[in-house]
């Protein structure tokens, strides 16, 4: 039922359309046309305006009254460089010519959804109600999915196609993450003439850092200071220092507790030294954790079995639109697309994986 040539051509067409984050217009127009031709009710929401981009989320609905409602979603934007992508096929593998990313992240997901819709139409397959969302701005903070009013669609299960790894891998757990700058403001002074009248921000930071938890905290939780910036010259007591901090946990509670503890230590230490604290660390996205016995997971496992592909559930170290849809109450999994070495010039995808993912999707809708 899957037509490999059609699927690959569609994928190649799409990767050639440049669509960096907030600049998805051409991609959005292409998808609006495709979804209309396939007979979906199509619209674009205001996520573009809200987030300062030139294209909203592209939404298509394939009605099936009285049936369950399934969300299928992949993101339109890619990381850079993506101005001019020249795809090359070699031994069943699609890659770029080496001067850009490929954009299989996430056009591999989009291509498989479109192929699934074509197979449904061509074969007149019975299907659940299908809500397709091609999101904008995923790569720069899950902007599109955060803006999408999924609560108005009554979705039962979400299938997001945006994981690396071979089709059959089902992401059922992903961390909650917080990120931002912790700034300690001390007081400048001449380091040689009157150091006692200054407050060295780095000294304050150092005292706090020896007390906070960093690195691997437990099996589910990590934290890190990745960048430190401060100081002007050796003869000036360092007036301020900025620490770029992040923390992640598969448990939302553990993350909250860790952040509270960390900020308290920084506050107390600043008080001790007479320094000030500015802190803009914020939770970027909430985590999720689904049991293997949940229906949304079982649906994918059964589909994989039917097409003879081994399935396995796994956890992810990062966030995706899946985090947002779970937090909005829609049990959602992130399915592997086959994209490999994403966000690099060596990114590639195997044609076989595009075909396998499309097969899995068709079985998901056939039920
Ligand atoms: Zn992605």
């Amino acid at each position: 039922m899957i037509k490999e040539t059609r699927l690959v051509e569609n994928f190649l067409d799409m990767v050639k359309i440049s669509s960096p984050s907030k600049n998805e217009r051409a991609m959005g127009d292409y998808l609006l046309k495709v979804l209309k031709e396939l007979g979906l009710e199509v619209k674009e929401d205001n996520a573009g305006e809200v987030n300062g981009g030139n294209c909203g989320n592209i939404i298509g609905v394939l009605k099936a009254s009285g049936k369950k409602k399934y969300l299928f979603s992949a993101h339109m934007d890619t990381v850079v460089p993506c101005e001019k992508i020249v795809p090359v096929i070699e031994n069943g593998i699609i890659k770029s010519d080496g001067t850009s990313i490929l954009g299989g992240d996430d056009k591999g997901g989009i291509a498989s959804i479109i192929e699934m819709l074509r197979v449904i139409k061509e074969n007149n397959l019975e299907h659940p109600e299908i809500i397709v969302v091609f999101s904008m701005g995923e790569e720069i903070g899950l902007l599109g999915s955060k803006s999408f009013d999924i609560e108005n669609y009554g979705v039962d299960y979400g299938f997001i196609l945006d994981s690396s790894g071979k089709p059959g891998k089902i992401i059922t757990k992903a961390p909650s993450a917080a990120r931002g700058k912790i700034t300690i403001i001390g007081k400048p002074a001449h380091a040689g003439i009157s150091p006692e009248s200054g407050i060295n921000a780095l000294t304050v930071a150092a005292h706090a850092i020896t007390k906070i938890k960093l690195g691997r905290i437990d099996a589910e939780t990590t934290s890190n200071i990745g960048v430190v910036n401060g100081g002007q010259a050796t003869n000036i007591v360092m007036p301020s220092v900025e620490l770029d901090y992040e923390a992640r946990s598969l448990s939302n509670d553990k993350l909250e507790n860790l952040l509270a503890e960390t900020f308290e230590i920084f506050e107390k230490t600043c008080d001790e030294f007479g320094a000030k604290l500015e802190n803009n660390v914020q939770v970027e996205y909430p985590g999720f954790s689904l049991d293997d016995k949940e229906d949304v997971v079982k649906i994918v496992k059964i589909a994989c079995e039917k097409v003879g592909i081994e399935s396995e559930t796994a956890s992810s170290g990062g966030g995706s639109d899946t985090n947002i849809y779970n937090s909005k109450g829609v049990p959602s999994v992130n399915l592997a697309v086959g994209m490999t070495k994403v966000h690099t010039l060596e990114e590639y995808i195997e044609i076989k994986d595009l075909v396998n993912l499309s097969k899995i999707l068709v079985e998901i809708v056939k039920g």
Side-chain angles (χ1 to χ4, degrees), residues 75 105-106 138-139 162:
H75 63 89
D105 175 11
D106 194 15
E138 191 274 348
E139 296 284 4
D162 190 19

Side-chain angles (χ1 to χ4, degrees), residues 91-164:
N91 304 320
I93 286 172
I94 310 173
K95 53 184 188 173
S96 79
D97 65 357
T99 64
S100 69
I101 53 124
L102 175 64
D105 175 11
D106 194 15
K107 287 166 185 169
I110 298 179
S112 299
I113 292 174
I114 292 173
E115 184 60 24
M116 170 195 83
L117 293 170
R118 288 187 168 139
V119 169
I120 292 173
K121 198 180 173 196
E122 227 165 43
N123 300 278
N124 236 332
L125 298 180
E126 278 228 30
H127 58 82
E129 181 146 321
I130 294 172
I131 294 99
V132 172
V133 177
F134 297 128
S135 60
M136 56 77 63
E138 191 274 348
E139 296 284 4
I140 53 169
L142 317 177
L143 303 180
S145 56
K146 282 178 181 169
S147 300
F148 175 55
D149 59 345
I150 195 169
E151 39 288 292
N152 291 334
Y153 288 81
V155 173
D156 292 290
Y157 308 118
F159 305 94
I160 288 54
L161 312 173
D162 190 19
S163 172
S164 53

Side-chain angles (χ1 to χ4, degrees), residues 207-240:
H207 275 83
I209 288 168
T210 57
K211 291 182 198 136
I212 64 168
K213 290 178 184 150
L214 283 174
R216 157 111 12 235
I217 291 155
D218 62 36
E220 298 183 311
T221 314
T222 59
S223 79
N224 187 45
I225 293 172
V227 180
V228 177
N229 263 313
Q232 289 151 351
T234 58
N235 62 358
I236 304 173
V237 171
M238 194 187 288
S240 72

